[in-house]
Amino acid sequence: MDKNLNGFEDSLELNEEESKLFRNWFSNIVINIALENNLPENYSDCAGLIRYAYKETLKKHDEKWIIKNNYNGPVFKDLKYNYPDVPYIGIKLFRKRSGVFNPDTIDKDFSDYVTARYLIEFNFDFISKDINKAKSGDILAFFHPEDPSFPYHLMVYISYNNENYLIYHTGPIEGGGYIKVVKIKDFFKFDPSWLPVETNKYFLGIFKFKILML
């Protein structure tokens, strides 16, 4: 069933407690990826970082997983279902077109790979353009139409040790790109077209994954 018509089967959506668990895992996994620089090559863009962290968040975080990822962050309970055994969709975690959830069209509706644009349009819910309303694990989205090859860009908002950060992959720039970690207060010193403020026409806003209650 898809009672709220958001495109995801109701059993895939997380309640308040599980949404907090997801945010804790997702935030700390993104931090760990940045510190360990262990993002796989086939995920090396802004959307890839988010897809990879999302997938890793849904896995069982047993000792084998911790060792494999050289994970040094806090450990929480696992979620109610775990990748790759995700109900209905399996490894096809992301919607690639609009519509209500239909178990008969999963192969057409879902994929293990989607671009930044499809993440925004079909997998995220808009929250606000007020950065003060962002929670750790939210996604900031930007659209720069003058860059026709990669007009969309995504960043992860992280709260850690009483500081707020943006963590993102720079994309396929010369040398292959890399992950940046920037404090929000320092980010405002950069190019104004990347500022997360309502007056910036390039800033699409703050988003959360559709499966999260909060």
Side-chain angles (χ1 to χ4, degrees):
M1 296 183 65
D2 183 9
K3 291 182 180 179
N4 59 7
L5 306 179
N6 73 350
F8 286 82
E9 213 283 332
D10 292 342
S11 64
L12 297 175
E13 298 178 27
L14 305 178
N15 62 25
E16 183 173 338
E17 179 184 356
E18 295 246 326
S19 294
K20 290 178 181 178
L21 278 175
F22 180 98
R23 286 183 178 277
N24 286 335
W25 272 119
F26 183 81
S27 297
N28 283 282
I29 286 171
V30 169
I31 292 169
N32 199 74
I33 292 170
L35 292 176
E36 296 296 324
N37 193 27
N38 61 355
L39 185 68
E41 186 175 347
N42 57 326
Y43 288 91
S44 56
D45 62 14
C46 66
L49 170 61
I50 290 168
R51 292 196 316 272
Y52 183 72
Y54 185 93
K55 180 182 72 173
E56 295 300 309
T57 296
L58 294 179
K59 287 185 176 181
K60 287 185 177 180
H61 306 103
D62 54 18
E63 185 177 358
K64 183 178 179 180
W65 180 90
I66 290 173
I67 293 172
K68 179 181 178 181
N69 291 276
N70 198 22
Y71 178 77
N72 296 303
V75 175
F76 312 95
K77 289 195 307 181
D78 282 332
L79 298 170
K80 64 180 180 179
Y81 54 79
N82 301 112
Y83 180 93
D85 301 316
V86 179
Y88 293 97
I89 59 177
I91 65 171
K92 296 182 176 182
L93 299 177
F94 307 102
R95 282 203 70 96
K96 59 182 181 180
R97 65 178 188 173
S98 61
V100 298
F101 183 85
N102 183 343
D104 297 325
T105 60
I106 287 174
D107 287 342
K108 294 180 179 179
D109 297 339
F110 287 82
S111 174
D112 61 348
Y113 171 87
V114 290
T115 63
R117 175 185 173 183
Y118 283 11
L119 283 172
I120 296 166
E121 292 185 1
F122 309 133
N123 296 272
F124 295 161
D125 282 329
F126 174 78
I127 297 173
S128 174
K129 284 193 172 184
D130 181 356
I131 194 65
N132 294 309
K133 294 183 179 179
K135 298 177 182 178
S136 194
D138 282 337
I139 310 299
L140 274 61
F142 296 82
F143 177 63
H144 284 76
E146 68 274 12
D147 181 2
S149 298
F150 302 98
Y152 292 90
H153 194 64
L154 307 174
M155 305 179 182
V156 185
Y157 181 92
I158 297 290
S159 294
Y160 180 74
N161 282 349
N162 298 315
E163 285 277 10
N164 298 319
Y165 298 83
L166 292 177
I167 299 179
Y168 59 96
H169 195 283
T170 58
I173 61 174
E174 184 177 354
Y178 56 96
I179 296 174
K180 290 191 72 171
V181 181
V182 184
K183 291 182 180 180
I184 284 282
K185 62 184 180 183
D186 294 332
F187 203 78
F188 279 80
K189 302 173 185 177
F190 298 169
D191 182 342
S193 71
W194 292 104
L195 292 184
V197 294
E198 190 166 358
T199 54
N200 178 11
K201 66 180 181 179
Y202 300 108
F203 179 48
L204 298 180
I206 303 159
F207 295 79
K208 70 173 181 65
F209 291 103
K210 284 182 179 288
I211 66 167
L212 302 182
M213 177 180 287
L214 50 76

